[in-house]
Amino acid sequence: MRREQIQAVRDMNAYFPKVVEQLKGMGDACNLIGESDWLEKLLYYTVPGGKMVRAVTVYEGIMVLGGRDTPGLKEKAMNIAWSMEMVQASMLIADDISDESFKRRGRDSWHVIAGKDAVFDAILVSTCAYALLGMHCDGEAFHRSLRNYNEILFQICMGQNQDNHCTDPLQGKAKFDEFNMDRYTRVCEHKSGGYTFFLPMSTALNVCGIFDEAAHDAARDISSDLGLLYQVQDDYLDTYGIIRKMGKGRTDIKNGKCTWIIVEAINRANDEQRQRLKENYGYDDPKKVDKVLEVFTELKMKEVFLQWEKSMMDKIEGKIRKYSDLVNPEVFTQSLESIKYHINR
């Protein structure tokens, strides 16, 4: 992240208690003993502490498009930024339950603390995102943003289901023969491109009164590439990242996920390597995982990723220049900068 983005995150973290107080006030109005305190604990535990990519994207977008000196804009931007992070937090709670992942951001996943009731907490955090948006956005901007929230959340769930369905529930094996780049990129567009980049960008445009369809189409086009880049980076981290820095364990290989790493490896492998991948991918067995990693090493997948990443960044920078007459380029540049250097090289 750039220095300005780091400062924005600090400002948002300092403001977070005010966000919780607003939502806790809604909880108090329900007059249910202890539930407002549970909501407070839930929000403090699950919402802050991430990379804040979505929050920074919408915050910086609003500040750039609306004018940093506009009275009250900073507070509005911070509230909407936290609304975006609550969308992310709700998905992570559900994702950890689905993946049976017991660590998140270096500590116990929420479902380890809350048990099976964490399912409802994921829904609760999601409703907080909508509530916070409604408190700080109105008129046409709110209606357009709400429509985008609903559309993108639907797409996230569809993409997540496609990701989860990479494993045959009857045989408990990865659907290895169905892995291909077309399937992968479509999942990325719904899982990452939409809610990591397009939702924050389109919300910033709406909040600042920019309803021009061409501007939103430009945001969607660039978001698609940013989302692919971001998801591929996450796939790389799950395979090669430093666990202590990631704050979570490696799960993609043993869970048989359709990742960029495995799809690209399949495309590059010879028949013998492909057979070894097929025999060992998607098993919760450390020896089989190691055999998959051996093939990745033979295929030099680290180097392959780094070359692909560089070409993808160049492509995105070209699109930012292409759309500079429609939308202030800084809206897109800051999104690219926020994810440019978070890979452990």
Side-chain angles (χ1 to χ4, degrees), residues 285-342:
D285 179 339
K287 291 182 179 179
K288 286 183 176 290
V289 171
D290 285 343
K291 289 180 179 179
V292 171
L293 291 172
E294 285 176 7
V295 179
F296 286 175
T297 300
E298 293 168 14
L299 295 171
K300 299 182 179 180
M301 293 309 299
K302 279 188 177 183
E303 291 83 353
V304 171
F305 161 77
L306 292 172
Q307 292 171 4
W308 178 89
E309 184 190 44
K310 174 64 169 60
S311 67
M312 195 64 185
M313 287 183 179
D314 291 343
K315 178 182 177 183
I316 293 169
E317 288 172 348
K319 284 192 175 181
I320 291 172
R321 291 191 294 271
K322 172 184 174 182
Y323 293 123
S324 61
D325 291 340
L326 289 172
V327 181
N328 187 324
E330 192 176 345
V331 174
F332 303 133
T333 301
Q334 56 85 20
S335 294
L336 180 58
E337 291 292 325
S338 71
I339 65 171
K340 210 169 189 178
Y341 305 111
H342 83 280

Side-chain angles (χ1 to χ4, degrees), residues 55-94:
V56 168
T57 297
V58 71
Y59 175 84
E60 286 294 327
I62 291 171
M63 298 304 290
V64 167
L65 297 171
R68 295 186 184 274
D69 296 329
T70 303
L73 188 65
K74 183 175 182 178
E75 182 175 1
K76 173 182 281 194
M78 285 194 287
N79 278 289
I80 293 174
W82 280 118
S83 168
M84 208 67 62
E85 283 301 298
M86 288 174 190
V87 173
Q88 164 72 344
S90 69
M91 297 305 299
L92 293 183
I93 295 170

Side-chain angles (χ1 to χ4, degrees), residues 192-326:
S192 301
Y195 97 112
T196 303
F197 297 103
F198 178 66
L199 183 59
M201 287 179 185
S202 66
T203 301
L205 290 167
N206 287 330
V207 168
C208 295
I210 300 173
F211 306 135
D212 178 51
E213 288 302 317
H216 285 262
D217 287 344
R220 191 181 293 275
D221 186 23
I222 291 178
S223 295
S224 180
D225 287 342
L226 283 167
L228 177 59
L229 171 60
Y230 190 60
Q231 186 61 53
V232 173
Q233 287 176 329
D234 268 6
D235 293 347
Y236 177 90
L237 283 173
D238 193 272
T239 303
Y240 296 112
I242 299 171
I243 292 178
R244 176 177 52 81
K245 292 185 177 182
M246 292 192 299
K248 62 178 183 177
R250 309 183 197 282
T251 59
D252 286 350
I253 293 176
K254 70 177 184 178
N255 287 345
K257 291 300 181 76
C258 180
T259 68
W260 183 88
I261 299 282
I262 186 62
V263 172
E264 192 66 27
I266 291 170
N267 290 340
R268 291 171 177 269
N270 59 35
D271 290 343
E272 186 272 334
Q273 290 169 323
R274 192 175 296 109
Q275 186 61 32
R276 274 192 283 151
L277 289 173
K278 186 173 183 177
E279 290 173 353
N280 293 287
Y281 196 79
Y283 293 90
D284 191 2
D285 179 339
K287 291 182 179 179
K288 286 183 176 290
V289 171
D290 285 343
K291 289 180 179 179
V292 171
L293 291 172
E294 285 176 7
V295 179
F296 286 175
T297 300
E298 293 168 14
L299 295 171
K300 299 182 179 180
M301 293 309 299
K302 279 188 177 183
E303 291 83 353
V304 171
F305 161 77
L306 292 172
Q307 292 171 4
W308 178 89
E309 184 190 44
K310 174 64 169 60
S311 67
M312 195 64 185
M313 287 183 179
D314 291 343
K315 178 182 177 183
I316 293 169
E317 288 172 348
K319 284 192 175 181
I320 291 172
R321 291 191 294 271
K322 172 184 174 182
Y323 293 123
S324 61
D325 291 340
L326 289 172

